[in-house]
Amino acid sequence: MTSIQPGRAWHPVASSGDAVVRHVFQGRLLGRELAVWRADDGYVNVWENRCLHRGVRLSIAVNDGRELKCQYHGWRYSNRTAECTYIPAHPADAPARTICNRTFAVVERHGLVWTTLELDRPEDLPVLPDDGRPLALRPITVAAPAAQVVDALRSYDAGEDLRLAAEAELLLRFDRGTAPGLTILVQPSDATTSVVRGVLHGVAVVDRDRPPLDLLRLHNRALNRVRARVESDLGPLQAEQQEPELELLSEELAELPPLSRPGRSASLRVRVERKWPAGADVAGFALAPLAGHLPAAQPGAHVDVHLPNGCVRQYSVVNAPGEGDRYVLGVKREPDSQGGSSCLHDVVREGDVLAVSEPRNNFPLRRDAEHTLLVAGGIGATPLLAMAQTLAHHGLDHELHYFAQTEDHLAFRDRLATLGGSVRRHLGLDVAATKARLGEILAGYAPGRQVYLCGPGPMIEAAREVAAQCGWPVEKVHFEYFKNAQEIDKESSFEVALARSCLTVKVLAGQTILEAVREAGVAMPSSCEQGACGTCLARVIEGEPIHQDVYLNDAEKASGEAIMTCVSRSASPRLVLDL
Amino acid sequence: MPTFLCTDPVVLNLWHPLAAIAETAPGRDHTTTLLEEQIAYALPPDGGARAWRQGAPQHPLPTLVRYGYLWTSLGTPPEDLFSIPEYDEPDRRNMNASTIGVHVSAPRAIENFLDMAHFPFVHTDVLGSEPHTEVVEYGVDVSAERDEVRATRCRMFQPKASASSADGAEVEYVYRVPHPYCSVLYKTSGDDPDRQDVIAVFLQPVDQEHVRAHLLLSVLDAAHEDKEIRNFQQSIFGQDKPILENQFPKRLPLDPRSETPIRADKSAVAYRRWLSGKGITYGVIPAGR
Amino acid sequence: MITLYDYELSADCYQARLALAVLGLEYSRVDVEFYPGREHETEWFTELSPLQQLPVLCEEETTLYDAPAILVYLASRHDPTASWYPGGDPALAGQVTLWLGFSRALAGSAGAARLHESLGHLTDIDAARSRAHTLLRVLDEHLWFGEQEGRDWLCATDRPTIADLAAFPDVALSEEGGVSRIDYPAVRRWTDRVKRIDGFVAMSGIFPAGPVAA
Ligand code: FES
Ligand SMILES: [Fe+2]
């Protein structure tokens, strides 16, 4: 294979008009295939044309407006970040955030989509004359190397009085009189294929929706002539496409980031883009990245927010699928706040910079149910809203039952409105009425149904009880508590053996397993550190745990196979963990 | 010792299928491509089978007629082919569903054959349907004695599992990979719940990135015509074809870090390891390259 | 009652199935096993289709064995809006006929390449692919200018016609014959539009398109 001269870093790979919504454009640059797609929010993604799972081209994937769905096994990849958000073969698992397709930098300018294969932000885009209304010509693919195409284009003659005025690498500028008339860029697709992309300048636009067709046709004819000449000089059209080089792929796939992540780190800096009243006593926050992209949040995920006063609090991300340019959180003012919610309500303002963790999903949403019930109490609606938006977007059958004091107490009513008929409001019910209503909602269990609960502790407790009475198996009842209201006993002391690290550590009275393990130098993620969120889960190989958490369900607790290292302790003198 | 374009000794010494007997007119010469070599073959009217490299009829290649196909080898093949005992049961209907050319390597096609997670997406409303997408835990073992990969207790909800099934059911599969380029699957028969239909894929490596896929059916089905049964399998295979042809790289990468497996891919992981262990280089991208 | 003599993997048969589906017509299928059974060469089938061509469509006294003929017939007879085959408009009728002819050229090139690759049919494969690329270039240019003019379909009307149905199968299956569509972006967008026509059905080898934007 002849080698390709990489040349300048930025290349046009499509016209803006090529990347229409709900479509995946198949592009090629320097021998590498690209999947180019525009999300409904207008953002254009340029990705490696290859699913990370089994290498299937993403140019045959479905663009659902927010995500690409691979045709082979239905893995979903998020707008902007290309993170895998769902693996249908394992509906109960949240995919590791590190499963992330290769993305390339994108700029949309002069009517073209530009990208670069270089990883570090390279030099600037080539400067094109800018009259505010560039007109992209029909791209012409030529079966010839870029250098040869550039040679042939120097004498380009469209019959207008255009004359070659300037030349840069893979770029020719023609002027009409003294005014810029046309820039032609040659995209090196691979060693034997190029695409000629022309941009006309200074075209008088009569009708915004009607491009000047005569002009487009004139240049199309002229470029076709150039193509015919170059190709006939070179011999017959090469029928077979060249395969991109394999070495490139294996190399970068070997660069997959490691799976383990340290916990409770605030690795992201975000700016409060917007703060607004999102319901009675609820402040909505939209957090935008200071630079680059935010990791995608799966439905049910939360982030740790590190507050200016030193507190760390967990908040569920309300985002809909593919809503990747910010995190939306809802914060309820807690009367007995120890500084978390009151700080966010009273101190944090628009424009402030906060540190947050990457989103973590310990409350993952299965998408293989025939019907999904979401039962929310008060501010517990936040993770369930993300779930409802996902289910609605996928066209999966669901209902969101929202218990609140009054209509005003419903948070994010704009989002509720988009969910339409699947939202049921239950307002102003007292404890007994709530329980009765839960009985109605949860009646009629059938296989193929799943329920997700989030809200105040007593309500979740009641709902779990009702669900059990209605015949729901525990594994179909998913719940998330905001906090662990139990009194945590820390008095015992015992030994913990870490099987994989070949270490034994002593857990003293007043100390948590998590603390002891970290002290021994073993990295361990955590988030709420009160046994509610599930981040610090560890598998138990041997021993008899005392759980004290509100994350595991009763069956999981009875099996004794897992613990929350932030609150659980041991009844046996020794606990062996798979760490 | 003749020289070949394929230099992988393991692959040269394997038996490879050339054609279905039922589709080979006896008494005249036919040609096909195997491992980039032009191979001629014939079924003499007096029985038996012959194969030779085009232009070298004086050097016959070893042949075998098994499971309704003519097999040959460019090297020194084992005495016999892997066994499919069910094939010889008297009440089975054995047939070649199709021999179809696909632009992919043989190992990629084997992996696709072993894969259940794609049923709801690729064989929508036939072998699977959303939202029933879960692949529950199944067993995989590599038997040293039989030298084959086996996946057991593979269960999946299927809306229409075969030509003879009308409604959906959870079906159970067993997969065998007894040959680097051949796989056999067993699934509960629609006609007799105590017995299993057998579907096998035998891949003829045309070159490293092209195969001819021979699809053997050995089924218990009293109700359908042969052509209906074949038709069903052909349309299933026709759905896999564009997936296989859009996989990149076309050769199977054996480096464990080159693609992202999940638990559902256990059998594929075992298959890749088994190929690595055999030192196969043809149709794969060996690890460490 | 309409009867279609049909082979699932045939692009020409798919044209007929597609037309029947978008017109919302009920029909019964008779499987004719093109491969491996070679049923199209049997005596009974040759009587229906003297050139041994699939598909064949029968309705009452009418028997037709050529895909474009079947499309013209179905649309003329069963589409009261006359949008699928605007035979009453001379210019449009001419355009439809032009693209029906074009679809035969696709069958003889891209379609032949596919049969060569899948079933080993004898063809000059390089010539077939090169011809298919020539046709796809023409198609891409036509469709790109169509987009600029606000026209989504092959003919100058705001509704799809049988011309789109006739050209679609061999284009959408071209990659099975080793004819990539990477260089024909307007063709790729058009195939997505065809997949979103009301009543569209897929076939083995063709994936349905995702949902349209709200
Ligand atoms: S190859 Fe894309 S989901 Fe499996
Ligand atoms: Fe399949």
Side-chain angles (χ1 to χ4, degrees):
Chain A
M1 183 167 156
T2 10
S3 71
I4 307 164
Q5 288 305 311
R8 77 169 130 69
W10 288 94
H11 298 270
V13 290
S15 303
S16 280
D18 279 332
V20 294
V21 290
R22 308 293 175 121
H23 175 78
V24 188
F25 173 89
Q26 185 180 11
R28 201 168 20 161
L29 180 61
L30 299 165
R32 186 177 283 246
E33 269 195 36
L34 305 171
V36 179
W37 66 284
R38 192 185 293 277
D40 286 0
D41 67 4
Y43 186 83
V44 177
N45 294 274
V46 179
W47 295 357
E48 180 108 70
N49 192 14
R50 184 165 186 267
C51 176
L52 270 191
H53 177 219
R54 280 310 181 238
V56 170
R57 282 198 177 94
L58 289 171
S59 53
I60 64 167
V62 168
N63 169 358
D64 74 4
R66 298 160 183 267
E67 294 171 319
L68 280 198
K69 181 184 174 194
C70 178
Q71 289 286 5
Y72 199 0
H73 306 98
W75 287 24
R76 288 175 169 276
Y77 293 99
S78 180
N79 180 24
R80 293 170 196 261
T81 57
E83 280 163 70
C84 177
T85 57
Y86 189 60
I87 297 178
H90 299 306
D93 301 1
R97 266 207 336 92
T98 40
I99 303 182
C100 183
N101 258 328
R102 173 82 185 266
T103 62
F104 300 105
V106 195
V107 172
E108 210 178 344
R109 198 173 296 162
H110 309 301
L112 299 173
V113 176
W114 303 75
T115 197
T116 168
L117 302 184
E118 282 174 29
L119 284 180
D120 307 321
R121 280 248 154 186
E123 60 201 72
D124 295 335
L125 283 187
V127 181
L128 267 61
D130 197 354
D131 61 355
R133 178 76 187 176
L135 180 64
L137 298 179
R138 174 167 177 258
I140 304 283
T141 305
V142 187
Q148 247 146 310
V149 178
V150 172
D151 279 347
L153 283 166
R154 287 206 184 88
S155 53
Y156 181 69
D157 177 15
E160 287 189 303
D161 47 357
L162 288 169
R163 129 198 99 66
L164 184 60
E167 185 176 344
E169 209 182 357
L170 302 178
L171 179 154
L172 300 165
R173 206 186 77 226
F174 298 85
D175 286 357
R176 191 181 293 107
T178 52
L182 166 72
T183 303
I184 296 184
L185 297 132
V186 178
Q187 167 193 343
S189 298
D190 61 27
T192 58
T193 319
S194 315
V195 181
V196 179
R197 299 189 177 276
V199 180
L200 285 172
H201 313 289
V203 179
V205 182
V206 187
D207 177 350
R208 279 202 139 262
D209 300 322
R210 284 277 149 159
L213 281 168
D214 292 352
L215 208 49
L216 292 174
R217 286 197 193 276
L218 177 80
H219 284 282
N220 188 60
R221 267 195 304 276
L223 289 173
N224 275 341
R225 280 198 299 274
V226 175
R227 160 157 81 187
R229 204 172 67 231
V230 175
E231 289 184 353
S232 81
D233 287 354
L234 272 176
L237 179 81
Q238 240 182 299
E240 258 314 282
Q241 305 290 343
Q242 251 167 348
E243 295 251 309
E245 281 179 60
L246 307 185
E247 297 78 63
L248 292 172
L249 272 158
S250 348
E251 248 176 60
E252 97 219 7
L253 283 165
E255 284 166 20
L256 273 179
L259 279 166
S260 62
R261 290 182 305 281
R264 209 154 176 161
S265 69
S267 52
L268 304 171
R269 294 283 177 284
V270 291
R271 184 185 308 281
V272 179
E273 185 189 59
R274 198 173 145 231
K275 175 181 176 182
W276 72 100
D281 291 335
V282 177
F285 288 86
L287 308 178
L290 290 193
H293 292 300
L294 292 171
Q298 298 149 15
H302 71 267
V303 291
D304 296 345
V305 179
H306 295 242
L307 295 168
N309 64 2
C311 287
V312 181
R313 290 288 181 271
Q314 290 73 46
Y315 295 101
S316 295
V317 180
V318 183
N319 291 33
E323 193 182 346
D325 50 350
R326 67 211 142 162
Y327 295 142
V328 175
L329 313 179
V331 178
K332 166 119 189 275
R333 183 192 286 280
E334 298 297 343
D336 54 347
S337 169
Q338 292 167 5
S341 68
S342 61
C343 174
L344 275 160
H345 272 260
D346 304 334
V347 179
V348 174
R349 265 179 273 163
E350 285 183 6
D352 285 0
V353 172
L354 297 174
V356 301
S357 70
E358 295 175 347
R360 233 178 251 119
N361 196 359
N362 302 316
F363 191 32
L365 171 68
R366 298 180 70 111
R367 293 166 224 185
D368 65 338
E370 279 155 15
H371 182 84
T372 305
L373 276 176
L374 307 169
V375 181
I379 194 63
T382 48
L384 301 183
L385 258 175
M387 291 183 182
Q389 292 171 102
T390 302
L391 293 167
H393 180 59
H394 295 184
L396 293 168
D397 203 17
H398 67 284
E399 282 165 26
L400 170 59
H401 293 271
Y402 195 165
F403 290 77
Q405 276 171 323
T406 69
E407 182 78 23
D408 279 349
H409 284 82
L410 297 169
F412 298 104
R413 267 171 290 169
D414 49 336
R415 284 175 194 259
L416 288 176
T418 67
L419 293 168
S422 67
V423 181
R424 311 286 146 83
R425 295 160 170 81
H426 307 281
L427 304 174
L429 302 183
D430 62 17
V431 174
T434 298
K435 194 151 184 185
R437 187 64 58 85
L438 285 169
E440 290 161 27
I441 295 168
L442 292 166
Y445 165 74
R449 307 189 93 190
Q450 301 275 344
V451 61
Y452 291 79
L453 311 166
C454 189
M459 178 186 159
I460 298 183
E461 235 93 89
R464 287 170 68 189
E465 207 175 290
V466 171
Q469 284 158 9
C470 295
W472 287 76
V474 282
E475 73 273 10
K476 302 288 177 82
V477 181
H478 313 267
F479 49 85
E480 184 173 75
Y481 288 83
F482 316 138
K483 56 171 182 260
N484 189 352
Q486 292 174 45
E487 202 55 54
I488 308 292
D489 169 31
K490 283 195 187 180
E491 289 318 302
S492 57
S493 96
F494 50 95
E495 211 175 75
V496 172
L498 311 180
R500 266 194 263 174
S501 321
C502 299
L503 275 176
T504 301
V505 299
K506 190 116 183 101
V507 180
L508 305 170
Q511 192 186 30
T512 66
I513 299 179
L514 182 65
E515 287 161 357
V517 165
R518 281 183 179 162
E519 240 164 63
V522 177
M524 181 83 202
S526 72
S527 176
C528 76
E529 300 191 358
Q530 49 161 299
C533 78
T535 306
C536 66
L537 181 143
R539 302 255 146 233
V540 177
I541 296 172
E542 210 182 288
E544 203 185 309
I546 302 172
H547 291 284
Q548 308 199 91
D549 64 275
V550 290
Y551 179 77
L552 298 176
N553 69 31
D554 295 343
E556 289 163 337
K557 282 182 182 162
S559 80
E561 281 168 9
I563 54 164
M564 297 305 122
T565 50
C566 65
V567 293
S568 302
R569 304 193 79 77
S570 183
S572 51
R574 184 179 151 89
L575 212 50
V576 184
L577 300 181
D578 187 16
L579 282 177
Chain B
M1 182 70 192
T3 57
F4 297 102
L5 291 165
C6 164
T7 54
D8 181 336
V10 184
V11 170
L12 286 173
N13 288 334
L14 292 171
W15 286 110
H16 296 286
L18 294 181
I21 300 294
E23 292 167 32
T24 308
R28 61 187 189 83
D29 295 356
H30 306 266
T31 55
T32 187
T33 311
L34 174 68
L35 302 170
E36 299 158 65
E37 310 289 338
Q38 287 309 112
I39 305 293
Y41 59 95
L43 301 175
D46 49 354
R50 295 195 309 118
W52 61 95
R53 267 173 105 184
Q54 192 103 316
Q58 68 280 17
H59 300 297
L61 295 170
T63 56
L64 197 65
V65 173
R66 273 308 229 146
Y67 311 129
Y69 300 87
L70 168 57
W71 302 72
T72 193
S73 174
L74 300 186
T76 315
E79 209 151 289
D80 204 358
L81 202 54
F82 53 87
S83 87
I84 308 177
E86 294 77 7
Y87 182 84
D88 296 317
E89 292 169 4
D91 57 346
R92 284 198 178 254
R93 293 170 63 185
N94 297 324
M95 66 187 101
N96 178 39
S98 66
T99 295
I100 292 189
V102 189
H103 188 186
V104 76
S105 64
R108 283 272 193 206
I110 291 290
E111 269 202 11
N112 165 264
F113 193 76
L114 295 178
D115 181 291
M116 286 186 300
H118 75 283
F119 288 175
F121 304 98
V122 179
H123 309 298
T124 312
D125 296 337
V126 184
L127 300 185
S129 70
E130 287 183 84
H132 305 282
T133 55
E134 182 163 25
V135 175
V136 290
E137 212 59 33
Y138 59 92
V140 176
D141 65 89
V142 182
S143 137
E145 156 218 356
R146 263 198 318 268
D147 191 24
E148 68 174 56
V149 180
R150 192 184 271 263
T152 52
R153 300 192 322 277
C154 306
R155 278 165 296 143
M156 190 83 197
F157 174 85
Q158 291 196 341
K160 179 175 166 55
S162 71
S164 68
S165 51
D167 356 274
E170 172 149 305
V171 290
E172 187 161 330
Y173 283 54
V174 169
Y175 291 95
R176 291 173 56 199
V177 190
H179 175 297
Y181 297 166
C182 297
S183 180
V184 187
L185 90 76
Y186 298 79
K187 71 195 277 189
T188 325
S189 160
D191 271 24
D192 181 348
D194 293 332
R195 293 171 66 194
Q196 288 164 316
D197 286 335
V198 179
I199 303 171
V201 66
F202 304 144
L203 298 162
Q204 168 189 348
V206 171
D207 61 31
Q208 299 217 53
E209 302 191 349
H210 289 84
V211 294
R212 295 213 310 155
H214 305 277
L215 219 57
L216 165 72
L217 303 178
S218 178
V219 296
L220 301 154
D221 181 335
H224 292 80
E225 280 185 71
D226 283 3
K227 73 172 184 186
E228 289 176 86
I229 299 173
R230 283 196 291 255
N231 202 295
F232 179 80
Q233 289 304 329
Q234 286 183 13
S235 58
I236 295 288
F237 194 77
Q239 293 172 331
D240 287 315
K241 191 171 152 70
I243 292 285
L244 291 168
E245 293 183 337
N246 276 294
Q247 265 180 299
F248 181 80
K250 294 202 178 290
R251 287 179 293 147
L252 186 71
L254 294 185
D255 187 321
R257 288 167 70 188
S258 60
E259 289 180 343
T260 317
I262 53 171
R263 289 199 312 285
D265 300 320
K266 251 163 94 173
S267 54
V269 171
Y271 171 62
R272 289 185 188 195
R273 237 184 254 143
W274 183 67
L275 290 181
S276 280
K278 285 183 176 303
I280 291 224
T281 58
Y282 198 80
V284 303
I285 301 171
R289 254 203 46 196
Chain C
M1 186 60 197
I2 302 174
T3 306
L4 182 71
Y5 294 81
D6 184 29
Y7 178 63
E8 156 81 21
L9 300 182
S10 148
D12 280 2
C13 291
Y14 177 49
Q15 287 187 27
R17 294 196 299 268
L18 204 47
L20 288 161
V22 299
L23 291 168
L25 300 174
E26 298 259 310
Y27 63 102
S28 66
R29 279 183 76 243
V30 177
D31 245 317
V32 181
E33 195 184 57
F34 177 76
Y35 167 80
R38 293 173 164 274
E39 255 189 305
H40 58 297
E41 294 173 3
T42 57
E43 204 178 310
W44 71 266
F45 187 76
T46 310
E47 210 147 292
L48 280 171
S49 174
L51 294 178
Q52 304 183 330
Q53 262 173 232
L54 274 160
V56 170
L57 183 120
C58 301
E59 183 174 26
E60 290 155 11
E61 301 309 303
T62 307
T63 299
L64 292 167
Y65 58 76
D66 173 67
I70 290 171
L71 265 48
V72 169
Y73 167 78
L74 286 174
S76 309
R77 164 123 194 225
H78 294 287
D79 173 20
T81 69
S83 69
W84 286 102
Y85 181 60
D89 178 325
L92 280 178
Q95 289 174 27
V96 170
T97 310
L98 183 152
W99 290 110
L100 292 180
F102 193 90
S103 76
R104 295 332 292 156
L106 282 167
S109 53
R114 173 171 173 256
L115 285 175
H116 175 274
E117 291 297 284
S118 297
L119 297 179
H121 285 205
L122 289 178
T123 304
D124 177 345
I125 183 68
D126 292 337
R129 285 182 182 146
S130 152
R131 174 79 178 140
H133 280 292
T134 305
L135 295 170
L136 286 169
R137 277 188 171 181
V138 170
L139 189 61
D140 192 71
E141 183 165 323
H142 177 71
L143 288 165
W144 191 86
F145 280 101
E147 289 175 342
Q148 304 305 308
E149 292 164 22
R151 169 172 60 73
D152 280 347
W153 310 105
L154 288 176
C155 300
T157 144
D158 55 6
R159 299 272 330 263
T161 65
I162 54 170
D164 298 287
L165 306 183
F168 175 78
D170 278 307
V171 170
L173 295 165
S174 72
E175 289 178 344
E176 293 195 1
V179 177
S180 165
R181 293 187 294 280
I182 190 170
D183 293 326
Y184 313 107
V187 170
R188 293 186 77 255
R189 288 190 291 276
W190 167 77
T191 57
D192 269 16
R193 292 196 289 273
V194 173
K195 290 176 184 185
R196 287 171 176 144
I197 292 175
D198 250 1
F200 174 86
V201 288
M203 72 167 266
S204 290
I206 296 176
F207 297 107
V212 285

